[in-house]
Amino acid sequence: MFQQILVPLDGSACSEQALVLAARLARAVDGTLYLLRIANQEYTYASTSVAGVFVPADLAEMTDLEMKGDHAYLDKIASSPLLAGLNVVKEVRAELAIPDAILNFITSHHMEIVVMGSHGRGGLARLVLGSVAQKIAWNSPIPVLVHRVQKPEQDEQVSELATPIHALVPLDGSPQAEEAIVPVGLLVAALSGAGVGSLHLVQIIKPSAHHTDEQHGQAREEAERYLQDLAGRLRGGLASTFQLEIKFSVYSDEQVAPTLVHIAASGDGAAAPHNLIAMTTSGRGGKRRFIMGSVAEHILQKTPLPVLLIKPDETSEQRKDS
């Protein structure tokens, strides 16, 4: 798994920081890096017959100079010391719908993971990786590893991502949320090398004004039994196979997403300080459950840690609901 690694680039230093994680993963699994440049340049615009509405000119009008510049950019990246010795494939695509272009590339080239920065260069001519990363993560059929850089000095944090890897895995008791466990387990094992990585399974119980203290206590006990059983199954399977340590914790808090960001930063309850968060983009809602999609969005915006996002299998949920 993770042999085919896609890294979308927009020409900004911020987007290129994803290469640190991607290169580390490629070396760990002897994989191939696919560097994808969406050549969404500042095309000449021509008006349509509808007043006030403008559409891009034919993509074929992109000049040879522009295309050569994009290829030269990828050549420079591919020849950098960071990627020395790796198998690298370079692709330049002329597209307007950037997320669709990336998603189509994922499918047509059988990618297995996307590694990308969450902010790049803005403007008409460049990827706005903050929004693009979210669109890709919420629609990608494969895991998406997103690194969000808030400050320039955080580049150092990425390059020094500790070994082994200790991942925070938020859960809500649903099978959909559990679909993050196998991908993050494989990723942690690959990036941890000879070290023993860990998964910290966390469930937040959100208090409800409609429940008594006794009912809230029962909800906590239910969550603890659920995580204990899940951890036991993982220790006898995935964790044993890939030498992973499994921890679990239950918390009570009204603010689910900020609490998870705090836990990730503090390392509370983990085998070691967290350096990765992994979760699905949807799960189960309800009075005592959190909606994974909104929580994932908040975490992606607020944490400086890399976030592995997995879109759960919709067909299994549809069969369950039918």
Side-chain angles (χ1 to χ4, degrees), residues 276-314:
L276 177 70
I277 302 173
M279 64 188 303
T280 57
T281 56
S282 64
R284 178 170 65 189
K287 293 181 179 179
R288 296 201 306 267
R289 310 293 183 182
F290 55 84
I291 301 173
M292 298 292 283
S294 60
V295 172
E297 183 177 352
H298 179 96
I299 289 175
L300 190 60
Q301 293 173 352
K302 298 299 182 181
T303 183
L305 298 178
V307 180
L308 182 69
L309 293 167
I310 297 95
K311 180 184 177 184
D313 184 4
E314 294 179 351

Side-chain angles (χ1 to χ4, degrees), residues 45-321:
Y45 277 68
S47 61
T48 65
S49 58
V50 181
V53 178
F54 295 87
V55 296
D58 192 338
L59 291 180
E61 293 183 10
M62 177 180 286
T63 65
D64 289 340
L65 181 61
E66 289 170 331
M67 290 295 289
K68 287 179 180 178
D70 290 322
H71 283 289
Y73 165 69
L74 291 186
D75 287 341
K76 180 180 178 181
I77 295 295
S79 62
S80 66
L82 178 64
L83 305 188
L86 294 176
N87 297 320
V88 178
V89 176
K90 299 163 290 182
E91 290 279 349
V92 175
R93 297 294 178 92
E95 302 284 351
L96 291 178
I98 295 171
D100 289 343
I102 296 174
L103 291 169
N104 289 338
F105 189 91
I106 289 170
T107 302
S108 63
H109 287 70
H110 308 290
M111 296 293 100
E112 295 178 313
I113 189 170
V114 182
V115 184
M116 64 190 302
S118 65
H119 281 284
R121 185 178 303 171
L124 177 63
R126 305 294 179 184
L127 281 73
V128 184
L129 280 179
S131 60
V132 170
Q134 185 167 321
K135 290 177 182 177
I136 298 303
W138 262 250
N139 293 282
S140 172
I142 62 174
V144 179
L145 180 58
V146 180
H147 171 62
R148 182 176 187 270
V149 178
Q150 296 172 314
K151 299 177 182 179
E153 57 266 26
Q154 287 178 348
D155 183 32
E156 182 178 353
Q157 181 179 357
V158 179
S159 62
E160 295 182 356
L161 187 63
T163 300
I165 304 299
H166 302 286
L168 174 69
V169 187
L171 299 170
D172 67 357
S174 70
Q176 291 73 36
E178 290 178 16
E179 290 186 37
I181 294 174
V182 171
V184 71
L186 295 174
L187 183 66
V188 167
L191 293 178
S192 294
V196 178
S198 70
L199 305 183
H200 182 199
L201 314 178
V202 171
Q203 186 165 350
I204 309 292
I205 301 300
K206 190 173 182 179
S208 171
H210 302 289
H211 292 122
T212 64
D213 290 344
E214 181 180 357
Q215 289 174 318
H216 181 70
Q218 291 173 347
R220 281 190 61 100
E221 291 176 2
E222 178 186 341
E224 288 171 357
R225 286 194 298 269
Y226 160 69
L227 290 180
Q228 185 175 29
D229 177 70
L230 178 59
R233 286 185 279 120
L234 291 174
R235 288 170 182 145
L238 179 74
S240 176
T241 302
F242 294 100
Q243 295 185 320
L244 299 173
E245 187 174 356
I246 305 295
K247 298 283 187 178
F248 66 89
S249 304
V250 177
Y251 298 85
S252 297
D253 204 288
E254 288 281 355
Q255 302 297 320
V256 174
T259 298
L260 288 168
V261 172
H262 172 74
I263 293 169
S266 66
D268 184 32
H274 302 106
N275 44 22
L276 177 70
I277 302 173
M279 64 188 303
T280 57
T281 56
S282 64
R284 178 170 65 189
K287 293 181 179 179
R288 296 201 306 267
R289 310 293 183 182
F290 55 84
I291 301 173
M292 298 292 283
S294 60
V295 172
E297 183 177 352
H298 179 96
I299 289 175
L300 190 60
Q301 293 173 352
K302 298 299 182 181
T303 183
L305 298 178
V307 180
L308 182 69
L309 293 167
I310 297 95
K311 180 184 177 184
D313 184 4
E314 294 179 351
T315 58
S316 61
E317 180 66 7
Q318 290 169 354
R319 287 195 299 267
K320 181 180 177 181
D321 293 339

